Structures are given as C-alpha cells and as structure tokens.
C-alpha cells in the first residue's frame, strides 16, 4: 500500500476521532460476583455505537468491518478493520472471547466481543469502567483538564 494511502487514512482517522461523540450508555447489565453479591453497570450496545459513529466515519470516507475467527477451541477472536476510500486498511485485534455452548451463547459472546473490539479500535468508552472490581471499586479522582504550574517554594 502506498504512503499516500496510509497518510490519507491517518488524516481521515484523526479528523474522525476528534468528532467521536460521547456514546450514550442506555443499557444496564447486572453481574453476580463469585461471592454472590450483585453489581450493575451501564453500557452502550453495538447498534447504538454503530449508529453514533457511522455518520462521522462516512464523512471522513472511513468504514468499519469485523470478522470472527477461531483462535483456539472454545475461543473466538474478533478482528476489526477500518478502511479508507483511498485503499488503506488498519487491522485491530483479534479481541479474544470465550465462546462455547449453544448458538445463542456463542452469538452473545460474538456480539460482546464485537462491541469491545469496536470500542477499542475507535478509542471510545462504551461502558462504565468498573476495572472488574464491582461494588468495592474506589471512586476516581476528578481529572484535571489544565496542568497545574509547579509551585516555587
């Protein structure tokens, strides 16, 4: 692939990324921990993410495709590709996901992996950051948007 095509992809990517909106987290998942406690988190589902980013990617002449590939027995991988109309494509992944059981369980695992893989490739957050800590997770410190000048003491 030519350097011009890669540069066109990079330029379009930076423009698209700068326009990525916050993704509304309108769905809830309730998780039971190993200790039997429950915790809940909010997330954006795959169609919500695609609906939010598709217009931005399209304007910048970018498109997303995802494929599912076997990695090992019981584990599937989702590969995300971001194409540019100039011919360059970037690959992200595979994002591995355990997937065993009946077709509904496997389908659910694929959708889950696609959501996480797409969010990671696009650099967006589609769910609350629980860090797998559940209800015991410490509160985050507020982020500073501007640096603080060092004190002169």
């Amino acid at each position: 692939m030519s350097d011009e095509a890669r540069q066109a992809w990079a330029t379009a990517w930076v423009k698209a990324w700068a326009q990525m909106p916050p993704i509304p987290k309108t769905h809830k998942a309730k998780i039971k921990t190993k200790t039997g406690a429950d915790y809940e988190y909010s997330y954006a589902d795959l169609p919500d993410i695609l609906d939010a980013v598709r217009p931005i990617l399209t304007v910048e002449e970018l498109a997303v495709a995802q494929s599912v590939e076997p990695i090992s027995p019981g584990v599937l991988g989702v590969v995300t590709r971001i194409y540019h109309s100039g011919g360059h494509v970037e690959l992200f992944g595979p994002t591995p996901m355990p997937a065993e059981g009946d077709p509904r369980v496997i389908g659910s695992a694929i959708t889950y992996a696609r959501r996480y893989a797409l969010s990671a490739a696009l650099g967006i957050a589609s769910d609350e950051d629980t860090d797998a800590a559940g209800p015991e997770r410490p509160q985050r410190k507020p982020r500073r948007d501007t640096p603080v000048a060092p004190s002169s003491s």
Side-chain angles (χ1 to χ4, degrees), residues 12-137:
W13 173 248
V14 169
K15 288 180 182 178
W17 195 84
Q19 299 173 59
M20 290 293 163
I23 308 293
K25 296 162 185 67
T26 58
H27 300 274
K28 297 235 183 252
K30 192 171 189 176
I31 307 297
K32 187 166 285 296
T33 66
K34 291 178 184 176
T35 63
D38 290 335
Y39 73 95
E40 193 173 89
Y41 69 94
S42 299
Y43 68 96
D45 70 358
L46 183 60
D48 289 346
I49 297 167
L50 290 168
D51 288 346
V53 303
R54 187 179 290 119
I56 294 163
L57 294 173
T58 301
V59 165
E60 300 305 333
E61 300 184 32
L62 296 166
V64 171
Q66 292 181 299
S67 60
V68 178
E69 304 171 357
I71 293 179
S72 62
V75 179
L76 297 174
V78 171
V79 176
T80 301
R81 292 171 178 81
I82 300 180
Y83 293 88
H84 184 260
S85 62
H88 183 74
V89 61
E90 285 287 322
L91 275 69
F92 300 86
T95 300
M97 182 61 54
E100 295 184 289
D102 68 60
R104 286 178 294 183
V105 171
I106 294 170
S108 179
I110 290 169
T111 300
Y112 189 86
R114 286 186 62 208
R115 178 167 58 94
Y116 274 92
L118 180 62
S119 296
L122 296 176
I124 58 175
S126 62
D127 62 359
E128 294 172 351
D129 185 2
T130 62
D131 293 327
E136 302 86 26
R137 188 183 82 183

